[in-house]
Amino acid sequence: MKTNFIILIILVSIAFGFSSCNAVKLVPENEYLLTGNTVYVNGKKNVKYEITDYIVQRPNESVLGLPLQLYIYNRADENFETDFEQWKADNPKKYNFIAGIFSDKQARGYRNFKYRANQNSIKNGEAPTILDHVKTKQTIDNLTQHFFNEGYFNAKVTSEDVLLKKKKAKVNYFIETRERYIIDSIKTNIESKILDSIYKNSKQNSVLKVNEPFKLSSFIEEQNRITELFRNSGVYRFNKNAITFEADSINNKSKIELLVNDSIANFPFKVQRIKKINIYTDYSFDTKEDPIIDSVFYKGYSFYSQKELRYNPKYFLNYIFIEPNSLYQDEARELTRKSFRNLNNFRGVDIKYTELDDDNLEASIYLTPLKKYGVGFNTELTHSNVSQLGITGKVSFLNKNIFKGGEILKLSILGSFLDSKDAADTNNRLLNAWEIGADVSIEFPRFLTPFNQERIVSKGKTPRTLFTLGTSLQKNVGLDKQKFTGILDYNWVGSKKVKHSVEIFNVQLVKNLNPDQYFKVYTYDYGEIKAIQEAYFPDYILTPYNAIDFIKQEITPEFEATNPLEYETAKNIEARYYIITEDNFIPLLAYTFTYNNRENYEDNDFSFFRARIATSGNVFNAIIKQVDSNNVKTFFNTPVAQYTRLDLEYKKFWSIALENTIAFRAFIGVAIPYGNSSTIPFTRSYFIGGPNDLRAWKTYDLGLGSTNNGLDYNVGNLKLLTSLEYRFNLLNSFKGAIFADAGNIWDLSNSSLVSPEAKFKNLASLKSIALGSGFGIRYDLSFILIRLDLGFKTYEPYLKDGEKWFKNYNFGSAVYNFGISYPF
């Protein structure tokens, strides 16, 4: 409580310090600090953010109502002298004091420190925005032009300066739109008969419509549409400068005439075809004059190389959309360029056209390859809830174009040294366990199928086949584990916004080679159980080989009633035992649908949706016959997991101001075991909490439902999660966030071993949704974002009625989450 009070005092002091800063310190006499702009459209306050884009002069940026960067700038002295002797003369008392106690050198250092601090304040701060009537006039002109472009030809824009106290002011802009003009008629005047014929065949797709508002953006869009239409219909020479519009406006109506020239620079527009296609597979500017020594002609395409040809023409046709004797198309050119770039085999892709005659073109594709072979190294520190701190090293070998079709072979070898504090180790070494593994993957830039799949997924949808095999062996001072994985994944792009992935199989086999050695390896856990046995069950003969049987037989609900702490300790050890020694055979078949309408990296106003459905064990259970003593089907003496899991995730982002964004995330997941399984494997179950989840709780800490059993690992087969976050610019590369997360996990089984509070029965179970809130600070390094979020427990469903809200809402109970990139 004392710590919380001190932190609160510090925060209040910082806030008071900023709020007491003089914002107008550097504002000259008879000038005003601009504190706000308000736009009124036809008497109503504007709420459309895009209109404010036309305002030239904006107030200083603020964070939570405080112009922090202005305060920082105001701390600087714009006239700070850089010359030491000048500073010495201007500040004799400071100089004599420092030099008298220390030395002239220390005085010089003090002055240099003050100078650097001053320069940092100027660099990181923001000068005060002084009300400028010239910029107000520019804003009026911008707004007038904007509404004119929207069809309000008689719009009137005025401004009003509102002078406030303490040399501050704001500006109000008043817009009277008046009548809006509409398109009364559309007439075309296309001189070229060829272009006129092409245009008429697509006239119904015109953006311009009679009786629709006159909007400049519609004319620009129509100009681009017509240009795209002609250039994708064989008219190679055409460009949009040949298109003009004339408007005759009267009585709020505009008569539009579309004019298209028949030539450019005295070259008439014609439909042209591709007669010849050349592919230079190893082009380099430095060697462009070297002779061609290898060439192949295949299905109308000519392949050239200055060395031995490294690519199979048959496969390369999958990436070329320019076809012999076809009409010229911009679209084919861009698809070809994009396809080759997606191969990750080429550093440069350039496509040029040459006119052979009036009717024919020659297309030349210049490809600059990357190095075929590559080696990568990386190391990292690792940590998880089921393994201690470790050091991992990985070396990867790359072979690009292994089968001469742009395929990428990747061979990785992984080695880890792990620190298992609980593991027995007579040498008491820090890193007393190790793991070694290897995996090989091949990515094919096409579908590998026994039939022609192009009718289903065309080559323009960027089909990919990924095949992966891997294995690893973990040596944990006696408790050994071996893992095998195999993945066959087909993925493709349905459209610019949609992606698909089908995992024909995603198989994982995990075998614990010596599970009976657990308590000889994790001696700390055995010592905890031994202490409970000696204190409460002295007659029980306990060994490392029957410790789990002891927990099952003796650590009962009756024991919990009298010894809750010991019960919790034993149950945590039991859960950890099953997690670490769990054998799994999980043969998945999965489909993933992804929708993302984000235009580019800078787009902060978009939606994202992902749906994934996966089933495990259905095919294998129909094939295999081997069963264990419990009549459970097994593969290599490992139970076959059989379940279905559905994950749905939706994210929405709103850009509300420059670098300010509201982010929303909702997730629902459900996994149902059946047939051969009564539970979901631990690694495929749902957990909640952590830096990218419910941030007020640590990973695995919360759940299930309204229970609070104190277990280290809480997992369920139903999960609900939602988050709302406001992200804002704080100071230069520093970003801030305020967030709220809500969610929980539940059990959907009918097991009598699970308490009613942990089960999801009906909508009333939603009362056990937990709520966390908090704030975060992020540092953006452009290529990576480092994040610290503080989550506070706001609503805890497992507490008593009347204590659920804000019971532990304090810094002492807060969870500090470090992460890389945004949480969602």
Side-chain angles (χ1 to χ4, degrees):
M1 192 67 187
K2 181 179 179 181
T3 302
N4 295 338
F5 180 74
I6 293 173
I7 294 174
L8 182 62
I9 291 295
I10 292 172
L11 293 176
V12 170
S13 299
I14 293 172
F16 179 77
F18 276 125
S19 63
S20 62
C21 290
N22 183 6
V24 297
K25 175 183 176 181
L26 299 179
V27 177
E29 287 299 322
N30 300 319
E31 300 283 358
Y32 298 91
L33 177 73
L34 180 65
T35 60
N37 295 303
T38 307
V39 179
Y40 295 90
V41 180
N42 295 328
K44 295 183 179 179
K45 188 175 180 179
N46 170 65
V47 295
K48 294 183 178 180
Y49 176 68
E50 60 267 21
I51 291 182
T52 62
D53 286 345
Y54 300 97
I55 297 177
V56 175
Q57 191 177 35
R58 301 171 185 272
N60 293 96
E61 284 194 40
S62 63
V63 177
L64 302 179
L66 295 175
L68 298 183
Q69 290 178 276
L70 173 60
Y71 293 151
I72 292 172
Y73 188 91
N74 283 347
R75 292 173 58 87
D77 181 1
E78 292 178 315
N79 299 314
F80 192 97
E81 292 292 339
T82 59
D83 181 74
F84 173 71
E85 294 300 329
Q86 181 66 48
W87 176 83
K88 180 178 174 181
D90 293 340
N91 301 273
K93 291 184 178 180
K94 278 186 181 178
Y95 171 77
N96 292 330
F97 175 78
I98 298 172
I101 297 178
F102 301 103
S103 67
D104 181 78
K105 182 178 179 180
Q106 271 68 41
R108 186 184 298 272
Y110 173 77
R111 174 259 161 211
N112 290 339
F113 170 77
K114 292 282 289 182
Y115 173 72
R116 287 193 296 270
N118 190 79
Q119 292 302 107
N120 284 331
S121 294
I122 294 174
K123 178 181 177 182
N124 296 319
E126 184 182 19
T129 301
I130 307 300
L131 178 61
D132 187 334
H133 292 100
V134 173
K135 293 181 178 179
T136 300
K137 177 62 170 58
Q138 291 175 348
T139 297
I140 291 175
D141 293 341
N142 288 350
L143 290 171
T144 302
Q145 186 63 51
H146 166 68
F147 281 93
F148 184 90
N149 293 341
E150 291 294 304
Y152 299 99
F153 296 160
N154 300 313
K156 181 181 178 182
V157 183
T158 57
S159 69
E160 175 192 39
D161 294 341
V162 181
L163 304 182
L164 308 172
K165 296 179 180 179
K166 298 181 180 180
K167 295 164 53 173
K168 297 179 181 179
K170 66 177 183 178
V171 180
N172 292 331
Y173 295 94
F174 302 95
I175 302 167
E176 295 179 35
T177 62
R178 298 173 180 173
E179 290 288 336
R180 191 176 197 178
Y181 280 67
I182 64 171
I183 297 175
D184 182 56
S185 63
I186 303 173
K187 178 184 176 182
T188 60
N189 184 356
I190 302 176
E191 298 177 15
S192 168
K193 292 183 178 180
I194 295 174
L195 299 189
D196 187 54
S197 176
I198 295 172
Y199 173 81
K200 286 180 178 178
N201 287 333
S202 68
K203 188 175 180 180
Q204 68 278 7
N205 299 323
S206 175
V207 178
L208 302 178
K209 306 289 184 184
V210 174
N211 295 325
E212 289 290 318
F214 184 106
K215 294 170 62 176
L216 179 63
S217 58
S218 297
F219 288 89
I220 295 174
E221 187 177 349
E222 176 67 1
Q223 185 185 45
N224 291 333
R225 184 193 74 84
I226 294 173
T227 302
E228 183 179 321
L229 170 68
F230 290 153
R231 290 188 63 83
N232 282 318
S233 301
V235 190
Y236 168 70
R237 297 171 182 167
F238 192 85
N239 69 63
K240 63 182 181 182
N241 292 330
I243 303 172
T244 56
F245 296 94
E246 291 185 357
D248 182 12
S249 301
I250 189 172
N251 295 329
N252 301 322
K253 293 184 178 181
S254 296
K255 295 181 179 180
I256 307 300
E257 183 175 11
L258 164 66
L259 300 99
V260 181
N261 296 336
D262 65 349
S263 63
I264 186 167
N266 296 322
F267 287 95
F269 296 131
K270 296 191 66 175
V271 172
Q272 295 174 292
R273 292 182 175 273
I274 310 298
K275 186 176 183 180
K276 188 177 181 182
I277 304 173
N278 307 315
I279 301 99
Y280 298 90
T281 62
D282 57 355
Y283 174 80
S284 171
F285 181 82
D286 295 333
T287 63
K288 63 180 180 178
E289 302 300 333
D290 291 358
I292 300 297
I293 67 169
D294 196 2
S295 62
V296 172
F297 184 78
Y298 181 77
K299 292 188 175 181
Y301 297 83
S302 298
F303 292 82
Y304 299 103
S305 177
Q306 294 172 340
K307 300 175 183 178
E308 182 181 354
L309 192 64
R310 290 167 45 188
Y311 304 96
N312 187 327
K314 175 184 176 181
Y315 295 142
F316 253 42
L317 296 192
N318 289 318
Y319 324 127
I320 301 175
F321 295 84
I322 305 168
E323 298 180 355
N325 299 315
S326 65
L327 295 177
Y328 169 83
Q329 291 181 318
D330 269 358
E331 187 179 49
R333 183 182 195 172
E334 289 305 310
L335 282 173
T336 301
R337 181 183 286 112
K338 180 181 177 181
S339 183
F340 276 114
R341 284 176 176 169
N342 287 337
L343 281 179
N344 295 319
N345 267 248
F346 300 100
R347 183 172 66 251
V349 181
D350 192 17
I351 303 175
K352 297 180 179 179
Y353 288 86
T354 305
E355 293 193 60
L356 299 176
D357 51 52
D358 273 356
D359 297 321
N360 297 299
L361 300 170
E362 179 183 55
S364 296
I365 303 172
Y366 298 92
L367 305 172
T368 305
L370 294 164
K371 291 183 178 180
K372 181 176 182 179
Y373 301 101
V375 180
F377 300 91
N378 74 292
T379 59
E380 61 180 344
L381 297 177
T382 60
H383 177 74
S384 70
N385 290 71
V386 294
S387 62
Q388 302 297 326
L389 187 66
I391 300 174
T392 298
K394 185 177 183 180
V395 57
S396 300
F397 302 91
L398 286 175
N399 184 329
K400 298 180 180 181
N401 192 44
I402 184 172
F403 298 125
K404 296 188 176 183
E407 308 83 3
I408 297 178
L409 169 70
K410 184 177 182 180
L411 173 64
S412 300
I413 300 174
L414 177 96
S416 299
F417 289 95
L418 310 174
D419 177 23
S420 297
K421 294 180 181 178
D422 297 334
D425 190 350
T426 56
N427 296 322
N428 197 28
R429 293 178 299 160
L430 175 63
L431 301 175
N432 51 17
W434 55 263
E435 180 178 1
I436 188 171
D439 62 71
V440 58
S441 67
I442 304 178
E443 181 180 350
F444 296 87
R446 55 190 178 275
F447 277 174
L448 290 184
T449 59
F451 55 87
N452 184 0
Q453 83 296 330
E454 192 165 332
R455 293 182 180 179
I456 303 173
V457 179
S458 67
K459 66 180 183 179
K461 297 186 181 297
T462 320
R464 291 280 190 276
T465 303
L466 179 64
F467 183 68
T468 303
L469 286 175
T471 183
S472 66
L473 174 65
Q474 185 182 99
K475 189 77 173 180
N476 198 7
V477 199
L479 185 66
D480 306 334
K481 178 179 293 188
Q482 192 160 16
K483 181 169 67 174
F484 299 92
T485 57
I487 300 172
L488 177 59
D489 179 18
Y490 294 96
N491 60 79
W492 69 98
V493 177
S495 67
K496 184 179 179 181
K497 301 175 182 178
V498 175
K499 294 182 179 179
H500 305 270
S501 173
V502 176
E503 297 169 54
I504 299 300
F505 69 83
N506 183 336
V507 179
Q508 183 182 75
L509 173 64
V510 178
K511 289 287 293 183
N512 289 277
L513 305 182
N514 302 302
D516 58 332
Q517 297 293 311
Y518 178 86
F519 287 102
K520 298 197 73 175
V521 173
Y522 291 92
T523 54
Y524 181 82
D525 280 359
Y526 181 69
E528 294 275 286
I529 296 299
K530 184 68 174 176
I532 295 174
Q533 176 263 318
E534 290 177 346
Y536 301 99
F537 306 94
D539 296 332
Y540 196 101
I541 302 175
L542 185 70
T543 71
Y545 299 102
N546 68 357
I548 286 298
D549 292 334
F550 166 75
I551 295 173
K552 290 180 178 179
Q553 296 168 13
E554 307 296 345
I555 309 302
T556 62
E558 291 75 19
F559 180 75
E560 179 187 16
T562 55
N563 305 279
L565 293 178
E566 289 79 2
Y567 176 88
E568 181 179 314
T569 297
K571 284 300 181 180
N572 272 325
I573 292 172
E574 181 184 26
R576 185 157 55 243
Y577 167 83
Y578 282 117
I579 291 169
I580 293 177
T581 64
E582 182 181 43
D583 288 345
N584 285 316
F585 178 62
I586 308 173
L588 276 182
L589 170 66
Y591 167 71
T592 304
F593 170 89
T594 305
Y595 172 86
N596 187 349
N597 65 358
R598 191 176 193 180
E599 295 292 334
N600 51 55
Y601 178 77
E602 297 179 350
D603 183 8
N604 291 322
D605 202 325
F606 65 98
S607 299
F608 173 92
F609 174 74
R610 184 179 69 91
R612 186 175 190 267
I613 184 168
T615 64
S616 171
N618 295 333
V619 176
F620 269 82
N621 276 292
I623 296 175
I624 62 178
K625 304 298 181 183
Q626 183 181 3
V627 297
D628 62 12
S629 58
N630 296 317
N631 202 33
V632 173
K633 291 188 175 182
T634 61
F635 182 76
F636 283 98
N637 298 318
T638 304
V640 179
Q642 190 172 14
Y643 66 90
T644 295
R645 171 169 163 160
L646 175 66
D647 295 342
L648 301 174
E649 182 180 25
Y650 174 74
K651 294 185 285 188
K652 175 65 179 175
F653 301 84
W654 294 272
S655 179
I656 59 173
L658 188 65
E659 295 191 73
N660 289 9
T661 304
I662 293 178
F664 171 77
R665 183 241 327 249
F667 175 87
I668 179 171
V670 59
I672 306 295
Y674 55 89
N676 205 56
S677 299
S678 58
T679 60
I680 305 296
F682 175 82
T683 56
R684 306 302 169 97
S685 298
Y686 296 107
F687 66 88
I688 200 161
N692 299 318
D693 206 273
L694 191 58
R695 284 164 280 185
W697 280 264
K698 295 179 181 178
T699 307
Y700 294 108
D701 268 6
L702 181 64
L704 294 95
S706 58
T707 62
N708 187 21
N709 51 34
L711 294 178
D712 289 342
Y713 308 102
N714 294 294
V715 294
N717 54 357
L718 172 65
K719 177 177 180 177
L720 297 177
L721 176 68
T722 184
S723 299
L724 185 65
E725 183 169 288
Y726 174 55
R727 301 168 182 170
F728 52 88
N729 186 47
L730 198 59
L731 180 64
N732 295 330
S733 295
F734 284 96
K735 316 292 180 182
I738 302 171
F739 63 84
D741 306 320
N744 209 331
I745 54 174
W746 293 267
D747 182 82
L748 290 177
S749 72
N750 295 318
S751 173
S752 58
L753 301 177
V754 180
S755 67
E757 293 80 11
K759 296 180 180 181
F760 191 93
K761 299 177 181 179
N762 48 48
L763 293 179
S765 299
L766 295 177
K767 293 179 180 179
S768 57
I769 287 179
L771 174 64
S773 57
F775 61 90
I777 299 176
R778 293 88 189 267
Y779 186 71
D780 191 352
L781 294 171
S782 296
F783 63 94
I784 196 172
L785 183 135
I786 301 172
R787 171 169 55 93
L788 170 62
D789 288 339
L790 273 70
F792 299 89
K793 296 176 176 63
T794 308
Y795 179 83
E796 301 174 76
Y798 43 79
L799 296 181
K800 297 178 182 179
D801 289 342
E803 298 182 355
K804 298 179 186 291
W805 286 97
F806 304 107
K807 175 68 174 178
N808 295 297
Y809 196 89
N810 53 63
F811 284 94
S813 301
V815 175
Y816 295 78
N817 298 282
F818 291 92
I820 301 296
S821 189
Y822 288 106
F824 59 91

